[in-house]
Amino acid sequence: MLKRTPFHAFHTTCGGRMVDFAGWEMPIMYRSIVDEHVQTRNSGSIFDVSHMGRLYFSGKDAIAFLNAVFTRDVEKMKVGQCRYGFICNDAGGILDDVIVSRDKKQWLMVVNASNREKIVAHIHKVRHDRDYDFDLSDQTEATGMIALQGPKVIERIGGHLEAVANLKRYEFVSDTFMMLIKYTVSRTGYTGEDGVELILPAKMAATAMKMLAGKFDRPDATLKPAGLGARDTLRLEAGMPLYGHELSETIDPISAGLGWAVDLTKEFIGAAALKKIVAEGPKRKLIGLELQGRRIARQGTPIVKDGQVIGEVTSGTLSPTLQKSIAMAYVDAAFAAEGTTLAADLRGDHNPAVVVKLPFYKREK
Amino acid sequence: MSVPTDRKYLKSHEWHKRVGDVVVIGITQFAADELTDVTYVSLPKIGTKLNANERFGEIESVKATSDLYTGVGGEVLEINDALNHNPATVNTDPFEAGWMIKLQPTNPGDLDALLDPAAYVKSSGH
């Protein structure tokens, strides 16, 4: 039986095409992936991201524990800050990419839906092995979470949530809406656009969404619902990694080009292995590719140079914004320089592809 | 789901319409909807000879890549070049403007063996 988010009725009303995503019944799209993608870049979209895991930590050793498992130094974080980073295994492989937020009396960790059970098990194991004293509260199913993303989002919802306009990137605030609904809002997202992510009590989620977003069904609506399909093409244009594609337990953050989210001046699980990778240089690197023509190189497509396989595609699509076939791939470090001409093996056809700088798309500020 | 009754179908969602001596082939609205936004259609060269149930091309969308099959054998007389520039026509008008190839059938009787509209609708489960 698939789990349903607090917004299930909303999806049905809006004509969402529902699919199984990591055990959750989620909308892949409502109208068209491309339409929803363009709407997000030009105006704004609402995404249900309630399937993401929301884990709260409190108690004496919460800081020590988080610093032991997370690649950023949480002691340096101020109340109201969010930080993106990783939970690694001993070899430096990525168990999950997460966002940790520091509130007054507790910490929040947002994890991928597909990794939630694994991460909860990892937390219990580390707590047991190191005898840490803290409380873990998994609020995933007691709350709902929506992402509002796009250039017109802040203006559109600022009237309802005054705190939003003053939030900087990767800051959050917890407050009460209409003296009734407790919520947390952060200036974060996964689309390459400005916007926020909101966590609400499950019971209030649907009501709050209606109040915030108004009517979606008008053709000129500022905010319209968008599904996981557009979320994927948006994050890919923005060069953001997706667990199960660019990230896995056999890939480390350094090879993924995400060393900026790893603090090697502190100790954490996987730090020793990552120091070694930094010292020796990663053997493979994550690159951006622009393919000639309109064919798409999907996950698993071999990347070849002079007839030799030197890498593999992790994600690819036809970029709705750029109208070009784009892909991310891991290749031998020797072939990762910008401007290198490679080829994607599309079912036997060697389709030319050039290494380009990530991200493919960057919003104007 | 309803489909045009003037043609025959494959379970893999291709329609086949006889127009005079020629058979026109495309995919159904159901298949186009499942694929979502079509980004690319690869079609054979004119003159290519195909057997019944042979792959004649491929179709790509934002979501997936699929093979295209013909239910009748024959020679490719014409391909829909317009799909090169506007592959999304397959989404908006799959039964008419979104046609893919025209075949000179080797054995026009091949067509009789294909699914009739009711059988296709049943096979697609909708």
Side-chain angles (χ1 to χ4, degrees):
Chain A
M1 179 73 188
L2 294 178
K3 289 193 272 283
R4 288 182 171 181
T5 79
F7 304 106
H8 190 270
F10 170 83
H11 300 316
T12 313
T13 308
C14 294
R17 187 192 292 175
M18 308 305 284
V19 297
D20 175 359
F21 185 85
W24 292 82
E25 195 177 340
M26 299 299 292
I28 186 87
M29 57 176 244
Y30 302 85
R31 306 177 302 280
S32 124
I33 292 173
V34 172
D35 186 48
E36 290 160 28
H37 182 114
V38 171
Q39 168 78 18
T40 313
R41 290 269 180 258
N42 293 342
S43 182
S45 292
I46 299 170
F47 302 81
D48 180 3
V49 291
S50 303
H51 59 307
M52 307 276 291
R54 290 170 290 286
L55 310 178
Y56 288 86
F57 301 86
S58 59
K60 181 164 78 71
D61 295 332
I63 290 184
F65 162 74
L66 286 166
N67 257 343
V69 297
F70 189 48
T71 56
R72 311 289 291 261
D73 189 349
V74 302
E75 250 175 312
K76 288 183 186 157
M77 287 173 63
K78 296 182 186 123
V79 170
Q81 276 188 334
C82 322
R83 287 288 173 265
Y84 174 80
F86 307 95
I87 303 200
C88 291
N89 59 29
D90 286 323
I94 299 168
L95 293 173
D96 199 10
D97 62 329
V98 305
I99 289 182
V100 170
S101 303
R102 179 175 200 166
D103 212 338
K104 291 184 197 77
K105 289 181 182 162
Q106 62 183 358
W107 297 78
L108 164 64
M109 181 187 285
V110 176
V111 306
N112 279 298
S114 53
N115 290 331
R116 178 171 144 219
E117 284 174 23
K118 179 177 81 178
I119 292 301
V120 168
H122 180 68
I123 290 165
H124 287 311
K125 182 170 187 309
V126 173
R127 176 160 64 181
H128 179 263
D129 290 352
R130 303 195 178 194
D131 207 21
Y132 285 132
D133 178 11
F134 65 86
D135 291 315
L136 163 65
S137 171
D138 185 340
Q139 292 291 311
T140 310
E141 288 170 50
T143 57
M145 185 167 174
I146 49 174
L148 300 146
Q149 301 280 299
K152 295 186 182 167
V153 163
I154 301 296
E155 190 193 330
R156 177 69 182 75
I157 64 166
H160 296 289
L161 306 174
E162 283 172 34
V164 164
N166 299 320
L167 279 181
K168 296 193 182 100
R169 282 294 285 171
Y170 280 80
E171 284 184 353
F172 76 96
V173 65
S174 296
D175 204 350
T176 306
F177 176 54
M178 306 283 284
M179 295 185 293
L180 189 67
I181 306 171
K182 277 187 166 178
Y183 71 93
T184 298
V185 59
S186 59
R187 194 107 176 226
T188 50
Y190 192 51
T191 58
E193 295 302 329
D194 195 5
V196 296
E197 292 175 301
L198 267 167
I199 299 173
L200 301 146
K203 283 182 199 155
M204 291 295 178
T207 312
M209 180 125 106
K210 263 184 208 157
M211 293 165 109
L212 282 174
K215 295 191 188 304
F216 309 106
D217 41 6
R218 287 199 308 257
D220 62 343
T222 307
L223 300 178
K224 292 183 185 178
L228 294 180
R231 188 169 149 85
D232 188 43
T233 53
L234 288 158
R235 69 90 195 167
L236 179 47
E237 282 187 347
M240 293 168 160
L242 172 61
Y243 200 89
H245 288 255
E246 286 72 35
L247 310 178
S248 76
E249 289 182 33
T250 57
I251 292 168
D252 65 88
I254 309 303
S255 304
L258 298 165
W260 58 268
V262 178
D263 184 349
L264 289 174
T265 65
K266 64 151 204 164
E267 284 306 313
F268 59 90
I269 295 168
L274 293 176
K275 278 178 195 166
K276 192 160 172 275
I277 293 167
V278 169
E280 292 173 359
K283 291 185 179 61
R284 56 182 175 169
K285 285 185 177 170
L286 186 69
I287 55 157
L289 285 172
E290 220 175 85
L291 278 75
Q292 214 174 75
R294 289 178 65 88
R295 293 182 75 187
I296 296 171
R298 297 179 197 279
Q299 184 172 35
T301 299
I303 297 299
V304 295
K305 175 74 178 174
D306 301 328
Q308 298 292 311
V309 175
I310 53 108
E312 192 176 293
V313 170
T314 50
S315 300
T317 194
L318 188 83
S319 161
T321 308
L322 308 171
Q323 283 299 310
K324 285 177 181 167
S325 176
I326 59 170
M328 289 201 272
Y330 279 101
V331 297
D332 291 352
F335 302 103
E338 269 170 58
T340 309
T341 301
L342 305 170
D345 183 345
L346 298 175
R347 308 215 269 181
D349 296 335
H350 287 193
N351 194 110
V354 178
V355 180
V356 296
K357 195 179 161 98
L358 290 172
F360 301 101
Y361 164 86
K362 205 168 184 181
R363 75 189 161 93
E364 290 169 29
K365 296 203 175 159
Chain B
M1 184 176 80
S2 68
V3 295
T5 53
D6 59 354
R7 50 198 97 185
K8 295 275 207 162
Y9 297 86
L10 278 178
K11 208 178 166 185
S12 52
H13 308 291
E14 292 85 358
W15 54 260
H16 304 68
K17 183 183 179 185
R18 195 197 312 251
V19 181
D21 293 340
V22 174
V23 176
V24 188
I25 301 173
I27 65 166
T28 65
Q29 186 76 59
F30 175 78
D33 290 349
E34 282 294 302
L35 280 165
T36 72
D37 306 85
V38 173
T39 55
Y40 177 80
V41 184
S42 167
L43 298 174
K45 289 193 173 69
I46 290 169
T48 305
K49 292 192 170 62
L50 296 164
N51 294 317
N53 302 311
E54 193 177 338
R55 172 183 181 276
F56 72 79
E58 84 185 16
I59 184 162
E60 287 202 27
S61 72
V62 170
K63 240 173 73 182
T65 302
S66 300
D67 287 323
L68 297 163
Y69 292 93
T70 171
V72 299
E75 186 179 331
V76 178
L77 293 178
E78 204 180 323
I79 59 172
N80 189 354
D81 277 328
L83 298 183
N84 258 331
H85 308 289
N86 289 306
T89 307
V90 177
N91 294 108
T92 53
D93 194 12
F95 288 115
E96 299 300 335
W99 69 273
M100 292 172 181
I101 59 172
K102 292 182 184 174
L103 282 184
Q104 178 72 56
T106 316
N107 174 15
D110 283 352
L111 210 53
D112 300 332
L114 305 187
L115 298 173
D116 62 37
Y120 167 68
V121 169
K122 208 175 161 193
S123 83
S124 71
H126 284 76

